[in-house]
Amino acid sequence: MQTRTDLIEDLMGRFPHIPREAVIKEDLLRGGLAFDDSALTDNENGDVKPKSYFIFSFDHRTLPELGEAALRRPPEEIVLTGGPYGLRRTVVSVRINPSSPYRVKPAEDGKLMLHLDGKPIADVGLPPMPDYYRHTLSNGKQVMEVAPTIQWGYLVYLTVFRVCQYFGAKEECQYCDINHNWRQHKAAGRPYTGVKPVDEVLEALAIIDKYDTAKTSHAYTLTGGSVTSKVDGLAEADFYGRYAQAIEERFPGRWIGKVVAQALPKEDVQRFYDYGIRIYHPNFEVWDKRLFELYCPGKERYVGREEWHRRILDSAEVFGPRNVIPNFVAGVEMAEPFGFTTVDAAIESTTEGLQYFMSRGILPRFTTWCPEPTTPLGKTNPEGAPLEYHIRLLEAYRATMEANGLSTPPGYGPPGAGNAVFSVSSFMDTLPAE
């Protein structure tokens, strides 16, 4: 029987032009990793930045099934170096899977190592607790709850609406656990604010600005669930836009402003820009028409795939093509029972979508699919997509990007293996260093 070590070494050999770091990173992102209890954090009281569950769970088990990891959170991210593969510095988002063949545990000398199939393969670095996490808002809320940072501190992630108005089996995206993640944190008694007041966001950002003396944080993302009616009496563009307006008035030019929202009509997109947003992420989720209709029933019902794509192109007239960066969820193309049954077919479809946007100057990016167990696709595909799909996607992505003469997208930090900080996929690790 082939071991996971056999699999990654086979792919490293077959795709030598893909960084070894990306092969391991994609495997960790698609399948998760486990932590010895001794490698867990002391939550907000320790020296390690804990996982904030900033929007989705990104775990392969529910909180009640995580054992000690539900009480003492794992770190937000880890950084891998060295080992037998000579890994350059690689930042990886933590996705917990107690049954993973990857495990973080201390070696005999006490140093943390990543083990695969029982053998150490990399040194593990943990994110230090930032000074700004040690301070609370005037109402006692934690900065980590209101304005967590990810990507090794590069990005302030502002999930200002913690649920989605695409609700229930006939509307929710079939791979998304935003609503369940909200429910599980509330059930566990954790602080998890549904709609974050503007003044709390500003207070949290003021703390970050004061104590982030090295100016490690460079961007903020405004996001949350889709708004199909109104929240606080506001439609989507004005609901999210009010935060950007307040941030830009209080902290002009301090961070690059980004928003992840639906593909909205051009006049709404213009309002985002006028509020101060400079990068727009109208995520197209999955390219194939049939799969979009099956996996994104709410988005198909309220907007429709063709209109969604038209709005993405229209938004480039407002922000400029380079600053429109729609995400897709890499791997759901192969989810049973409806997805493609071969890697060749899945890559062909996804590359068609990449070419559609890149030929128009728009550079998508992707998040590696984590099959969360409470989602329909997670339940039927607990192993996710084949690792070969993810490696070949990295290959296709860079080739399509280069064929269209595009360069690294803004707002993601430095590119290149050993440099990248984007932690939820390896696309930045695979691009050429600047």
Side-chain angles (χ1 to χ4, degrees), residues 108-188:
E108 290 183 1
D109 61 1
K111 184 169 65 174
L112 284 185
M113 302 286 292
L114 177 67
H115 292 73
L116 174 59
D117 296 328
K119 298 177 182 179
I121 64 165
D123 295 329
V124 173
L126 302 179
M129 178 72 80
D131 287 343
Y132 49 79
Y133 268 23
R134 300 188 187 279
H135 299 268
T136 60
L137 279 62
S138 57
N139 61 9
K141 286 189 178 180
Q142 301 168 350
V143 171
M144 183 177 71
E145 155 61 13
V146 179
T149 55
I150 60 172
Q151 296 170 25
W152 219 256
Y154 179 90
L155 179 68
V156 185
Y157 207 93
L158 302 172
T159 311
V160 293
F161 183 40
R162 276 256 173 74
V163 294
C164 181
Q165 290 186 347
Y166 291 134
F167 199 81
K170 294 184 178 180
E171 290 193 355
E172 288 178 353
C173 293
Q174 301 295 288
Y175 47 80
C176 175
D177 81 342
I178 184 173
N179 288 330
H180 171 79
N181 196 40
W182 155 262
R183 290 190 293 267
Q184 73 169 357
H185 282 269
K186 298 302 286 186

Side-chain angles (χ1 to χ4, degrees), residues 13 53 99 103 117 136 163 242 251 275 312 319 356 383 426:
Y53 290 89
S99 61
R103 176 171 288 271
D117 296 328
T136 60
V163 294
R242 66 177 178 167
F251 309 99
Y275 281 131
I312 291 175
F319 282 91
Y356 176 84
E383 303 300 319
S426 303

Side-chain angles (χ1 to χ4, degrees), residues 76-99:
E76 185 76 77
E77 296 154 328
I78 57 174
V79 63
L80 305 177
T81 53
Y85 304 114
L87 300 183
R88 291 163 287 187
R89 184 177 185 274
T90 305
V91 180
V92 187
S93 178
V94 167
R95 300 174 173 185
I96 297 297
N97 181 357
S99 61

Side-chain angles (χ1 to χ4, degrees), residues 146-148 156-161 196 201 205 220-224 247:
V146 179
V156 185
Y157 207 93
L158 302 172
T159 311
V160 293
F161 183 40
K196 296 179 180 177
V201 171
L205 289 175
Y220 67 83
T221 289
L222 283 165
T223 189
I247 293 168

Side-chain angles (χ1 to χ4, degrees), residues 10 40 59-60 68 112 146 162-163 167 169 179 187-188 216 226 256 301 308 319-320 325 328 337 374 383 403:
D10 173 65
L40 296 171
D59 283 337
H60 291 251
E68 185 69 10
L112 284 185
V146 179
R162 276 256 173 74
V163 294
F167 199 81
N179 288 330
T216 301
S226 297
I256 304 167
R301 173 185 170 189
W308 196 282
F319 282 91
I325 309 172
F328 62 99
T374 61
E383 303 300 319

